[in-house]
Amino acid sequence: MSADILTQRAKRRRWLKIAPAFRTPLAITGITIAALWVLIAIFAPILAPFDPLAQDFDRLMPPGGEHLFGTDAVGRDVLSRVISGARISMPLALALVVASMVVGGTLGAIAGYFGRAVDEIIMRIADLVFAFPTIILAMVITAALGPSLTNAVIAMLIVSWPAYARVTRSLVISARRQEYVVAGRLLGNSPFTTLRRDILPNVLSPVFVLAMLDVGTAILLLAGLSFLGLGATPPLPDWGAMVSDGVQQFSSWWIAAFPGLAIFTVVMAFNFIGDSLRDSLDPRAQDAVQGRAM
């Protein structure tokens, strides 16, 4: 039997092992909602009925008629701003999670593999970041750098990487004692070759699960900074800033309700996907997952 056939069968078995977790109602719901929001973000200029920055309409019009989500305090269409806001919130959250995973994962892998002084330095820095509440530290950093989306992302990166570093470190410490890693080192592999070839493929799964669960948290925290005036600057159609505008016009409930609903659905979708991915990669959860999928 050829190697190609064996490789294809191995890939098929791996897919069949993962598939049941993504056939559960929560997984299907999460994937569907996330896919819809991705499509909305991609085609926002086409889907938005009006210019999200145009102030051409009557102020504080309730939902209905030409403006399905109503208008805000300066006469902008809320639906157009919610749709356009997806192009700001979702890409920034995904970029933040990827950057945090790369930075934290790299530092955690180095700390776990080399240990000793390197481990102590990196982990003590991580502990220092963990000593402060996440949102408070992000607020302080953003306020020091100046309110903007770029500075908000930098602040969130600073407070987010330690979680990935700690998870990756523990996985690398466990993996470096395995026989295949020791054998590679005895064959003369360099430390970075061992990390890249032998250890990295075996520690990525839990890190990816953490990253998927962290997308919703990133959207919430970025929206929170914008809500406090430390993120997006007017007139950008950011969801957090729109909720903040709605608080100032509390009687006009639609200004805050619809962007708040957008935040809720995106966070819920990525949490569902992250939970399903975790179940698919946890052998102890396979029986329960298969039962729910039937």
Side-chain angles (χ1 to χ4, degrees):
M1 189 176 294
S2 67
D4 291 340
I5 296 176
L6 291 175
T7 301
Q8 291 176 359
R9 288 188 175 182
K11 290 181 178 179
R12 190 179 301 114
R13 285 196 298 268
R14 190 181 303 115
W15 164 248
L16 291 174
K17 181 179 179 181
I18 294 176
F22 290 94
R23 294 202 298 266
T24 61
L26 288 182
I28 295 173
T29 301
I31 293 172
T32 302
I33 294 175
L36 286 174
W37 275 115
V38 169
L39 292 174
I40 289 173
I42 294 173
F43 298 105
I46 300 174
L47 297 175
F50 304 102
D51 183 351
L53 304 181
Q55 305 176 18
D56 300 335
F57 310 105
D58 294 336
R59 298 187 305 163
L60 302 178
M61 294 177 60
E66 189 179 24
H67 304 284
L68 296 179
F69 287 5
T71 60
D72 62 12
V74 294
R76 296 172 298 196
D77 183 65
V78 175
L79 174 59
S80 300
R81 291 179 63 78
V82 170
I83 292 175
S84 299
R87 306 197 82 185
I88 297 176
S89 298
M90 292 186 64
L92 284 179
L94 291 172
L96 171 61
V97 169
V98 171
S100 300
M101 182 172 61
V102 171
V103 173
T106 301
L107 293 175
I110 292 173
Y113 187 82
F114 292 100
R116 298 183 180 178
V118 175
D119 185 20
E120 285 295 322
I121 293 172
I122 294 176
M123 287 298 101
R124 295 301 75 78
I125 296 174
D127 290 340
L128 180 63
V129 176
F130 276 125
F132 298 92
T134 301
I135 187 64
I136 301 298
L137 183 57
M139 288 170 55
V140 171
I141 297 172
T142 308
L145 297 175
S148 72
L149 278 175
T150 301
N151 291 340
V153 172
I154 294 173
M156 289 304 306
L157 174 60
I158 293 173
V159 302
S160 299
W161 71 265
Y164 295 92
R166 182 170 287 181
V167 170
T168 306
R169 171 184 175 271
S170 64
L171 293 170
V172 170
I173 290 175
S174 176
R176 75 181 183 184
R177 301 190 183 98
Q178 300 299 318
E179 294 180 357
Y180 61 89
V181 176
V182 176
R185 292 168 60 186
L186 292 175
L187 290 173
N189 290 342
S190 67
F192 290 102
T193 299
T194 301
L195 279 171
R196 176 178 55 84
R197 182 184 300 172
D198 298 330
I199 295 179
L200 183 62
N202 294 287
V203 304
L204 281 179
S205 295
V207 177
F208 276 132
V209 172
L210 176 61
M212 189 61 65
L213 291 169
D214 221 20
V215 173
T217 302
I219 291 175
L220 275 177
L221 291 176
L222 288 172
L225 291 176
S226 295
F227 177 85
L228 296 171
L230 298 173
T233 55
L236 286 177
D238 179 82
W239 288 340
M242 294 172 66
V243 174
S244 179
D245 292 339
V247 171
Q248 300 175 20
Q249 302 289 335
F250 197 74
S251 60
S252 302
W253 56 268
W254 57 88
I255 300 177
F258 291 114
L261 185 62
I263 295 172
F264 169 75
T265 53
V266 172
V267 172
M268 179 186 67
F270 281 102
N271 283 345
F272 286 171
I273 296 172
D275 287 340
S276 301
L277 183 60
R278 179 191 59 200
D279 290 341
S280 69
L281 298 173
D282 184 2
R284 293 172 297 182
Q286 288 299 313
D287 293 340
V289 167
Q290 291 176 1
R292 291 200 303 268
M294 292 179 179

